[in-house]
């Protein structure tokens, strides 16, 4: 994400703010879907090559957009009301149609089911996996192990059981798009709908397809965009923001909340931010779910939510990393951890979970590159805060951006995820 300013510390706010060439230098700048999983076995996978995708319907088509100046603590009825700065103003959150969005982020268990379906031989022709994602290379953050000698469709496995219901954290946009194509080209085995609060919950059980290069997105294109009017998608920026912040009951300011967890008060800094999660140190389960509203982020003056698999020694947790950081720098720079999906328990106005904190999430919205960057790379918007970033990353004005396929992140950034959307479906909205 692009920030108003950033420090030299290698934390999520800085990683996304400064871009790959300037990760370790100061910079200045003008930004899953499964049933709720408890401490036991997650419910995001229904067996070999089958995933369970649970969405919330987002109605109120034609809702008003709101104006934001990037990374400022305010929203405006229109950009004409916003201060004129070099950062400009964006109108965000308006969506003229009903749609669905994942109740949760895509989990590690779901991603492993996808890997074994999309890459049954383990040859990885589409760069869906990197060795740094393994528990041996990165004991604290490694989510997925690879075995070259395993049988067809068995090369990838969840590194430790505790990771199964955590968000997949090593996504690029192109990886997310391929996951969506596997859903789009797959077979919907069942679809159930139930009314719940201001919306509907829709649960899909889908047998994934191994065809990942075309579907909703054509990966042969330099900048893939939606090719169909109906089906599974990576949410757009406006779809994501509406689901996270727009209150159809009129709460907040101009019907927009300051956080995806609560209306808050614009202009008060982090005074009305949600409480930070506290995690079980060996499982990553949320232990303070009663402290509502709640989100997995690094609150100022408090420890970041953190855990390391209980199977890993404390020494390996705090020293072994694929980046070559020394044992003093590493634990200072990598402080936050992803929590079990849904356990923070605080819903957005539409009943989604974890849109504030946990993994920062891709959208499929293409945006111009930041100042000083050429047009060679394709940049996309991201949203949602991060488990080791401060509260301002959860504001609607935190309109982040990054190149759609940044190889360096595969080695350095374990907090980058996504959730699923559905467009044109009869189950959307209410």
């Amino acid at each position: 994400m692009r920030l108003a300013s950033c420090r030299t510390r290698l934390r999520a706010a800085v990683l996304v703010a400064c871009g790959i060439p300037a990760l370790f230098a100061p910079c200045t700048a003008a930004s899953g879907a499964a049933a709720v999983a408890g401490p036991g076995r997650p419910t995001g996978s229904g067996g070999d090559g089958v995933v369970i995708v649970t969405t919330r319907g987002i109605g109120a088509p034609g809702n008003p957009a709101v104006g934001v100046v990037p990374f400022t603590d305010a929203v405006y009825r229109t950009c004409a009301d916003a201060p004129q700065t070099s950062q400009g103003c964006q109108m965000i959150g308006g969506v003229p149609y009903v749609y669905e969005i994942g109740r949760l982020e895509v989990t590690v268990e779901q991603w492993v089911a996808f890997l074994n379906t999309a890459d049954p031989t383990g040859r990885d022709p589409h760069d869906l996996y990197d060795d740094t994602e393994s528990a041996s290379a990165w004991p604290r953050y490694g989510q997925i192990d690879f075995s070259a000698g395993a049988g067809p469709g068995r090369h990838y496995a969840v590194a430790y059981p505790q990771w199964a219901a955590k968000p997949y954290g090593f996504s690029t946009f192109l990886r997310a798009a391929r996951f969506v194509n596997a859903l789009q080209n797959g077979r919907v085995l069942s679809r159930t709908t139930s009314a719940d609060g201001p919306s509907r919950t829709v649960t899909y059980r889908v047998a994934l397809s191994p065809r990942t290069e075309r579907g909703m997105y054509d990966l042969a294109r330099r900048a893939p965009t939606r090719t169909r009017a109906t089906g599974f998608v990576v949410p757009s920026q406006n779809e994501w923001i509406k689901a996270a912040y727009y209150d159809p009951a009129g709460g907040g300011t101009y019907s927009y909340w300051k956080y995806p967890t609560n209306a808050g008060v614009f202009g008060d800094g982090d005074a009305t931010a949600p409480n930070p999660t506290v995690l079980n140190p060996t499982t990553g389960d949320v232990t303070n779910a009663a402290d509502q509203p709640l989100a997995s982020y690094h609150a100022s003056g408090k420890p970041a939510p953190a855990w390391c698999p209980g199977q890993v020694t404390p020494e390996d947790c705090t020293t072994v990393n694929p980046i070559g950081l020394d044992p003093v720098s590493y634990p200072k720079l990598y402080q936050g951890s992803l929590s079990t999906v849904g356990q923070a328990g605080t819903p957005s106005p539409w009943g989604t979970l974890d849109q504030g904190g946990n993994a920062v999430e891709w959208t499929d919205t293409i945006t111009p590159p930041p100042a000083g960057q050429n047009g060679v790379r394709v940049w996309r918007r991201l949203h949602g805060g991060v488990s080791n970033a401060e509260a301002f990353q959860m504001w609607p004005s935190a309109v982040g951006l990054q190149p759609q396929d940044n190889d360096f992140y595969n080695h350095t950034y374990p907090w980058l995820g996504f959730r699923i959307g559905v467009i044109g479906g009869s189950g959307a909205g209410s």
Side-chain angles (χ1 to χ4, degrees):
M1 287 186 171
R2 308 243 334 142
L3 312 183
S5 64
C6 64
R7 298 177 291 275
T8 57
R9 297 176 62 190
L10 181 59
R11 44 189 307 183
V14 176
L15 280 168
V16 191
C18 303
I20 298 310
L23 280 178
F24 295 93
C27 70
T28 57
S31 134
V36 173
R41 180 170 175 78
T43 56
S45 177
D48 289 353
V50 175
V51 296
I52 298 169
V53 175
T54 302
T55 65
R56 294 288 289 174
I58 311 297
N63 66 295
V66 69
V68 296
V69 175
F71 294 93
T72 60
D73 188 5
V75 293
Y76 305 93
R77 193 181 297 277
T78 70
C79 280
D81 301 325
Q84 302 302 304
T85 73
S86 61
Q87 294 174 291
C89 175
Q90 300 179 31
M91 294 298 294
I92 59 172
V95 181
Y97 46 83
V98 296
Y99 62 101
E100 300 165 28
I101 195 167
R103 192 176 185 219
L104 300 169
E105 297 154 318
V106 169
T107 65
V108 174
E109 185 179 45
Q110 290 174 314
W111 187 256
V112 167
F114 164 69
L115 286 176
N116 283 320
T117 300
D119 184 29
T121 66
R123 296 176 181 175
D124 195 18
H126 303 304
D127 192 26
L128 300 174
Y129 178 78
D130 190 271
D131 288 343
T132 57
E133 299 176 48
S134 70
S136 58
W138 210 343
R140 180 174 173 184
Y141 293 110
Q143 300 178 327
I144 299 168
D145 287 336
F146 173 79
S147 174
R154 295 289 186 272
H155 292 285
Y156 302 94
V158 178
Y160 296 113
Q162 299 97 309
W163 279 115
K166 304 297 187 294
Y168 175 59
F170 292 87
S171 182
T172 64
F173 171 76
L174 298 185
R175 288 182 176 184
R178 288 184 165 99
F179 184 95
V180 165
N181 283 348
L183 286 169
Q184 183 74 11
N185 296 327
R187 183 162 54 98
V188 177
L189 303 177
S190 64
R191 176 183 174 278
T192 59
T193 302
S194 61
D196 183 10
S199 182
R200 300 176 184 175
T201 298
V202 186
T203 300
Y204 301 86
R205 188 168 176 265
V206 184
L208 294 171
S209 169
R211 294 184 291 118
T212 64
E213 298 311 287
R214 287 180 176 81
M216 180 56 71
Y217 301 95
D218 183 351
L219 274 301
R221 297 178 180 176
R222 171 179 170 272
T225 56
R226 298 175 185 182
T227 62
R228 304 182 187 184
T230 62
F232 295 102
V233 295
V234 179
S236 70
Q237 170 170 264
N238 285 334
E239 290 165 354
W240 198 102
I241 286 174
K242 180 176 178 177
Y245 302 103
Y246 179 74
D247 185 351
T253 300
Y254 309 129
S255 296
Y256 281 80
W257 289 7
K258 182 173 178 177
Y259 302 100
T261 53
N262 58 296
V265 176
F266 287 101
D268 74 350
D270 60 3
T272 53
N275 296 308
T277 57
V278 177
L279 306 184
N280 180 296
T282 62
T283 69
D285 289 331
V286 174
T287 62
N288 64 328
D291 296 340
Q292 297 292 308
L294 191 65
S296 287
Y297 74 104
H298 191 179
S300 180
K302 297 183 178 181
W307 70 283
C308 185
Q311 299 89 331
V312 179
T313 67
E315 180 181 4
D316 284 351
C317 281
T318 56
T319 62
V320 179
N321 66 89
I323 309 167
L325 292 172
D326 63 80
V328 175
S329 300
Y330 175 52
K332 291 180 179 179
L333 301 177
Y334 281 82
Q335 296 185 31
S337 299
L338 299 174
S339 61
T340 303
V341 293
Q343 288 189 346
T346 309
S348 76
W350 295 96
T352 64
L353 297 168
D354 296 334
Q355 284 196 267
N358 227 10
V360 65
E361 300 177 27
W362 286 102
T363 76
D364 71 359
T365 296
I366 296 173
T367 186
Q373 297 285 336
N374 59 36
V376 174
R377 309 184 81 170
V378 178
W379 293 70
R380 304 209 183 231
R381 293 290 180 184
L382 304 94
H383 283 280
V386 195
S387 60
N388 72 339
E390 297 174 10
F392 72 91
Q393 290 280 18
M394 296 187 288
W395 297 347
S397 63
V399 283
L401 68 163
Q402 270 295 316
Q404 66 180 5
D405 193 12
N406 203 326
D407 289 339
F408 189 79
Y409 271 38
N410 295 350
H411 299 277
T412 65
Y413 199 91
W415 307 286
L416 193 53
F418 67 102
R419 69 182 65 215
I420 298 300
V422 181
I423 58 171
S426 60
S430 57

